Amino acid sequence: KKASHSCFSLLHLTHFHSLKRSKLSFHLLFPRTRLEISDFSTLFQFPSLCAVFCCGFFFEFYSVSSSPFMFITFMAVLLLFFMLPLSISASGDAFIGVNIGSDISDMPGSTEIVSLLKAQSIQHVRLYDADRALLLALANTGIRVTVSVPNDQLLGIGQSNATAANWVTRNVIAHVPATNITAICVGSEVLTTLSNAAPILVSAINFIHSALVAANLDQQIKISSPHSSSIILDSFPPSQAFFNRTWNPVMVPMLKFLQSTGSYLMLNVYPYYDYQQSNGVIPLDYALFRPLPPNKEAVDSNTLLHYTNVFDAVVDAAYFAMSDLNFTNIPIMVTESGWPSKGDSSESDATVDNANTYNSNLIRHVLNNTGTPKHPGIAVSTYIYELYNEDLRSGPVSEKNWGLFYANGEPVYTLHLTGAGIIFANDTTNQTFCVTKSNADPKMLQAALDWACGPGKVDCSPLLQGQPCYEPDNVVAHSTYAFNAYYQKMDKSPGSCDFKGVATVTTTDPSMAIHTPT
């Protein structure tokens, strides 16, 4: 989890912390030519080599055959050749999953966790280990599970094929097919948090993969290793991004592995930290996926692509960083993203409203298969950090408050997911209301009330003297009426209950205290 983060600037990204395709082997036989391509993916890493190959192959073919049928056959094969790299990135719809941490003083039991997952219609989870009890509880649920090799086990696995095989036997083979394990994370943010293990990271991945191959599970279980976005340097504009050159001896063979096995680059993306560390350069709306006017969008001066949110810009920076190393067909999966609902005095934007807005908009953005400006429509499946608040985590207050739920299963806030699908059944949008914050400045409340009753086009006539909602006659009560009326009028869309920070969403009906529309 977020052991390292990046600071994303609209002008420049400065990082503050270090933080299968199956091998294709076939023969194309022609009268005087026998060509074997043992790995197309290698060829596609070098476009010029690919072009030379295709042109040379065409002239060789043309010189030996004038058959129209053979010519058409060749062109069909060539077309397929060029389409193959796209098939990985474009396949399937994006999904939303959740991370399940365990730094909780009153950790729910495995059956309780699975009951919550079922109740919320959550179909994808990522574990930070391979907890046996939880894997058994997940059996026969159909929930797709990503298990992890913890960082403290990485050195042993990376130095011993036998140790890796034993790990796979105990934590994977013992549970499939009853438990639907679909991926293995080998370590987490190793390059930026456990640099002494970096040299053996790829060995660990290969050893785990060999064990899956031996068990005939390599086709259904993908392997990768989550990275902090801080390994990407010079990240805005995204088109000039590149991976920290220090890690090229690790990144290049890892990307070759991901490419050859049809796996994905796993990336942890935290716009909260990018915003927090930007010293005001990044607008809050840009970090929260809120709508921006065209003149506020960030534009990549090299590609002229427009960016409306930090999340897409970071993901595209990763795509461009891979392209810098000549890898252009590896999809990205975001293994962690979220927003804290509470913080200390230096974390004023770690609020319930911002966490709700970010995660609701993130879920909608992902499930709409929006993709990114560089790869529109290409799935970027994402795991939200995280299912539960982890009260035992060290560090600032925000570290303990990333969860969607408390340990007792109660939601920290109610997600606004109208039209986003059935995931998270705690979507009780019809039971949410907009009210004034208890500590709101009266002058700001009055200004917001004036806006709601004026440009906001709320019918505030019930607030006039002698009308049903005049009493209590104070700015807090009247503002709550107007704010909630606007919120309901806007179909409770994310961001419609903000009013420059003086309003918040609640599940408590304010009409219990004052008259207000429902």
Side-chain angles (χ1 to χ4, degrees):
K1 152 83 169 69
K2 358 175 247 311
S4 49
H5 313 293
S6 59
C7 177
F8 186 95
S9 166
L10 294 179
L11 301 176
H12 187 77
L13 190 77
T14 304
H15 297 287
F16 286 77
H17 301 273
S18 67
L19 284 122
K20 156 170 143 214
R21 159 155 83 226
S22 300
K23 176 175 285 191
L24 301 174
S25 181
F26 56 86
H27 305 292
L28 299 179
L29 300 177
F30 291 96
R32 293 188 306 169
T33 306
R34 183 179 187 276
L35 173 69
E36 177 176 335
I37 304 171
S38 62
D39 191 344
F40 273 16
S41 62
T42 300
L43 196 59
F44 271 95
Q45 293 175 38
F46 305 96
S48 58
L49 177 60
C50 179
V52 170
F53 162 76
C54 293
C55 292
F57 187 60
F58 172 80
F59 286 117
E60 171 71 12
F61 163 75
Y62 192 75
S63 68
V64 301
S65 174
S66 59
S67 166
F69 173 77
M70 293 296 287
F71 177 76
I72 293 172
T73 300
F74 167 73
M75 294 305 292
V77 171
L78 189 61
L79 178 62
L80 176 63
F81 177 81
F82 279 107
M83 290 176 65
L84 278 170
L86 301 178
S87 64
I88 295 177
S89 298
S91 62
D93 289 336
F95 63 77
I96 284 287
V98 292
N99 290 278
I100 304 178
S102 57
D103 287 338
I104 303 171
S105 57
D106 189 17
M107 183 70 189
S110 299
T111 55
E112 293 176 273
I113 295 172
V114 173
S115 294
L116 179 62
L117 296 174
K118 289 179 177 178
Q120 302 303 316
S121 301
I122 297 170
Q123 293 298 311
H124 298 81
V125 299
R126 174 185 171 219
L127 312 184
Y128 287 93
D129 50 24
D131 182 78
R132 182 175 182 273
L134 187 50
L135 289 174
L136 289 173
L138 286 163
N140 303 311
T141 62
I143 295 172
R144 298 167 70 88
V145 183
T146 294
V147 296
S148 300
V149 175
N151 282 357
D152 60 6
Q153 298 179 30
L154 193 60
L155 284 172
I157 288 175
Q159 294 173 341
S160 169
N161 203 343
T163 302
N166 288 336
W167 190 94
V168 170
T169 298
R170 292 193 318 271
N171 299 302
V172 179
I173 297 174
H175 297 283
V176 296
T179 302
N180 189 15
I181 298 175
T182 58
I184 300 174
C185 294
V186 180
S188 179
E189 299 191 347
V190 174
L191 302 185
T192 48
T193 64
L194 194 67
S195 57
N196 64 311
I200 55 88
L201 177 58
V202 176
S203 295
I205 289 173
N206 282 318
F207 288 158
I208 294 288
H209 182 251
S210 295
L212 291 182
V213 171
N216 199 29
L217 293 173
D218 57 304
Q219 296 296 315
Q220 67 189 69
I221 300 177
K222 300 298 182 185
I223 307 173
S224 189
S225 183
H227 296 287
S228 164
S229 61
S230 67
I231 67 170
I232 306 167
L233 302 183
D234 208 11
S235 298
F236 202 88
S239 60
Q240 69 186 29
F242 58 93
F243 292 121
N244 188 330
R245 309 291 192 206
T246 303
W247 301 120
N248 279 7
V250 178
M251 290 303 299
V252 171
M254 178 181 292
L255 292 173
K256 286 182 179 178
F257 172 86
L258 300 179
Q259 186 177 61
S260 67
T261 59
S263 190
Y264 19 69
L265 178 71
M266 292 179 169
L267 193 67
N268 295 341
V269 179
Y270 283 101
Y272 169 74
Y273 288 107
D274 298 328
Y275 164 75
Q276 186 187 48
Q277 298 169 343
S278 72
N279 295 318
V281 174
I282 297 176
L284 181 61
D285 288 348
Y286 185 65
L288 293 174
F289 291 93
R290 283 177 177 153
L292 294 173
N295 65 331
K296 296 293 185 181
E297 295 176 356
V299 180
D300 187 318
S301 58
N302 299 316
T303 63
L304 300 184
L305 294 173
H306 285 237
Y307 289 89
T308 61
N309 60 82
V310 175
F311 181 90
D312 282 351
V314 174
V315 172
D316 269 1
Y319 279 128
F320 280 108
M322 286 193 286
S323 296
D324 179 64
L325 295 177
N326 294 312
F327 294 90
T328 59
N329 62 333
I330 298 174
I332 290 174
M333 174 178 288
V334 174
T335 35
E336 292 180 14
S337 193
W339 196 283
S341 60
K342 186 179 180 181
D344 58 31
S345 59
S346 66
E347 302 171 302
S348 59
D349 293 294
T351 66
V352 166
D353 189 47
N354 286 344
N356 194 340
T357 298
Y358 179 82
N359 282 325
S360 295
N361 286 338
L362 171 66
I363 292 168
R364 186 177 296 105
H365 183 72
V366 170
L367 294 185
N368 283 346
N369 288 306
T370 305
T372 65
K374 178 173 171 58
H375 291 302
I378 301 300
V380 183
S381 295
T382 300
Y383 289 83
I384 293 177
Y385 188 87
E386 59 183 328
L387 185 63
Y388 296 112
N389 277 345
E390 294 186 89
D391 62 312
L392 296 181
R393 289 194 64 84
S394 59
V397 173
S398 63
E399 285 293 313
K400 309 173 190 292
N401 290 280
W402 290 81
L404 299 174
F405 296 89
Y406 297 106
N408 64 4
E410 292 296 317
V412 176
Y413 46 84
T414 303
L415 290 165
H416 301 173
L417 296 175
T418 300
I422 64 171
I423 187 173
F424 293 109
N426 74 324
D427 174 19
T428 54
T429 304
N430 292 330
Q431 301 171 26
T432 59
F433 309 89
C434 184
V435 299
T436 58
K437 287 184 176 179
S438 58
N439 60 347
D441 179 82
K443 291 183 179 179
M444 293 186 67
L445 277 180
Q446 185 62 57
L449 173 61
D450 294 342
W451 182 91
C453 295
K457 299 182 179 179
V458 170
D459 179 10
C460 293
S461 58
L463 298 176
L464 297 175
Q465 188 170 6
Q467 297 303 309
C469 298
Y470 176 71
E471 296 291 346
D473 180 21
N474 60 64
V475 70
V476 173
H478 286 195
S479 295
T480 289
Y481 175 94
F483 294 171
N484 192 44
Y486 180 80
Y487 179 62
Q488 307 296 331
K489 183 167 72 85
M490 298 300 291
D491 294 325
K492 306 174 184 178
S493 60
S496 61
C497 180
D498 181 62
F499 296 94
K500 294 190 175 180
V502 297
T504 187
V505 174
T506 181
T507 56
T508 302
D509 187 348
S511 66
M512 299 298 293
I514 61 173
H515 299 289
T516 185
T518 58

